[in-house]
Amino acid sequence: MSRLDSFIRRLKAQRACLDLAAHLVRELDGDVLELGLGNGRTYDHLRHLFPDRKIYVCERRVAAHPDCVPPAELLLLGDMRDTLRAACGLLGRRVALAHLDPATGEGVASRALAAELALLIVPLLRPGAVLVSEPAIDQLGLTPLPLPESVAPGRYNLYRYVSCRSSA
Amino acid sequence: MSRLDSFIRRLKAQRACLDLAAHLVRELDGDVLELGLGNGRTYDHLRHLFPDRKIYVCERRVAAHPDCVPPAELLLLGDMRDTLRAACGLLGRRVALAHLDPATGEGVASRALAAELALLIVPLLRPGAVLVSEPAIDQLGLTPLPLPESVAPGRYNLYRYVSCRSSA
């Protein structure tokens, strides 16, 4: 399998998971949180899925296609470890869907970063919210959800947030 | 359709066209020419399709994944309009498959560049060679070929090079 093959497979898995997640949270009010803007393609997909919700985007520095730059008031600029901490007041317990794809490659460093970010994302989620994540996350309160049929286990990940209180 | 949708569609069209082109030139000796390395994903796909052929790559400046950097002797560094002219001695009439995807976006400038590059690519092609191109090219000696079934007309393009001499 070439890198082109695996890239296509990864993008299709991402899209299938986002589409399913959008369906899963259709009855749950709340905002959307995109961790990483990149070129803005996934953000644009989220805009199509959630035309009526606020989509907040964390990014260190905007380098997206001009058509895919979020409005300034929804853009949380800086290191995600800082902006997510600061976003608690703005977004705490208001996010219905979050998408984490730090795209730092595979391996130990990427998983460590994902775990660190997950700790900061969970306090922003509403009970019942869905987290779509490329790296797997092992985090209290996040329950793995079945993937779309087209997505092989581990290629992408879906979690439902069940607050510790409601699961107790 | 989101930008994510159209990107996936474009990558799948590219892959389907390259796969078909590889099949079409299986009986034709000659080198492979990739116009633009980018992140190296398509180059990696070409390596999988043509494990036994030389794959020359034109690129202004290498910024690919380290695993996808061509050997120095097959890398033609610089502005393609210069390197293609200079490559005539090295590659003239020896290329069996060329892939052109300048990825400069859509529009007039992109088509003008493609037309300019096509003029420089044609002298490198063997009669019977296949040119796979994202932008459409209207160039003497290049005959459009049917696309793979999965690819909508105009999304990607395949041409067979028939030399002016042999078609006369």
Side-chain angles (χ1 to χ4, degrees):
Chain A
M1 173 172 296
S2 72
R3 282 183 178 268
L4 180 61
D5 291 323
S6 62
F7 187 55
I8 290 172
R9 198 176 63 168
R10 184 175 165 283
L11 290 175
K12 289 173 72 178
Q14 181 190 77
R15 179 176 61 179
C17 287
L18 290 174
D19 291 355
L20 175 56
H23 178 73
L24 293 172
V25 302
R26 69 196 182 283
E27 306 288 346
L28 185 72
D29 281 341
D31 299 328
V32 174
L33 178 62
E34 166 75 329
L35 287 309
L37 178 62
N39 50 48
R41 277 191 292 259
T42 310
Y43 169 67
D44 189 50
H45 198 71
L46 289 170
R47 283 196 301 201
H48 279 73
L49 291 174
F50 299 102
D52 300 321
R53 302 204 195 205
K54 284 185 184 168
I55 305 173
Y56 289 86
V57 179
C58 291
E59 182 55 274
R60 185 183 290 272
R61 193 178 61 246
V62 170
H65 188 284
D67 290 348
C68 299
V69 176
E73 68 275 16
L74 301 180
L75 196 52
L76 309 175
L77 279 176
D79 187 307
M80 285 184 210
R81 288 165 290 195
D82 301 325
T83 52
L84 285 173
R85 276 192 190 90
C88 247
L90 183 69
L91 285 175
R93 295 273 168 268
R94 286 184 44 192
V95 172
L97 184 145
H99 174 230
L100 174 62
D101 188 354
T104 49
E106 292 141 26
V108 177
S110 174
R111 279 177 177 263
L113 175 63
E116 190 179 351
L117 293 176
L119 276 174
L120 303 170
I121 292 167
V122 162
L124 309 179
L125 301 178
R126 294 194 57 175
V130 171
L131 171 63
V132 185
S133 176
E134 197 270 307
I137 289 167
D138 183 11
Q139 162 82 38
L140 198 69
L142 294 176
T143 306
L145 289 170
L147 297 171
E149 269 186 31
S150 60
V151 179
R155 191 167 295 155
Y156 230 85
N157 303 278
L158 281 171
Y159 302 95
R160 176 83 78 176
Y161 173 61
V162 184
S163 77
C164 299
R165 203 178 306 167
S166 66
S167 68
Chain B
M1 174 173 294
S2 72
R3 283 184 177 268
L4 180 61
D5 291 323
S6 62
F7 187 55
I8 291 172
R9 199 175 64 170
R10 184 174 165 284
L11 291 175
K12 289 174 70 178
Q14 180 191 77
R15 179 175 62 180
C17 286
L18 290 173
D19 291 354
L20 175 56
H23 178 73
L24 292 172
V25 302
R26 69 194 181 284
E27 306 287 346
L28 185 71
D29 281 342
D31 300 327
V32 173
L33 177 62
E34 166 75 329
L35 286 309
L37 178 63
N39 50 48
R41 277 190 293 258
T42 311
Y43 168 68
D44 189 52
H45 198 71
L46 289 170
R47 283 196 300 201
H48 278 74
L49 291 174
F50 299 102
D52 301 321
R53 302 205 194 207
K54 284 184 184 169
I55 305 173
Y56 289 87
V57 179
C58 292
E59 182 55 272
R60 184 183 291 272
R61 192 179 62 246
V62 171
H65 188 283
D67 290 347
C68 299
V69 176
E73 68 274 17
L74 301 180
L75 196 50
L76 310 175
L77 280 176
D79 187 307
M80 285 184 209
R81 288 165 290 194
D82 301 327
T83 52
L84 285 173
R85 277 193 188 91
C88 246
L90 183 70
L91 286 176
R93 296 273 168 267
R94 288 185 43 194
V95 172
L97 183 146
H99 173 230
L100 174 62
D101 188 354
T104 50
E106 294 140 24
V108 177
S110 175
R111 281 178 176 261
L113 174 64
E116 190 179 351
L117 293 176
L119 275 173
L120 302 170
I121 293 167
V122 162
L124 308 180
L125 300 178
R126 293 193 58 176
V130 171
L131 172 63
V132 184
S133 176
E134 197 269 307
I137 289 168
D138 183 11
Q139 162 82 35
L140 199 69
L142 293 177
T143 306
L145 287 169
L147 296 171
E149 269 185 31
S150 60
V151 179
R155 191 168 296 157
Y156 230 84
N157 302 279
L158 281 171
Y159 302 94
R160 176 84 77 176
Y161 172 61
V162 185
S163 76
C164 299
R165 203 178 306 170
S166 65
S167 68

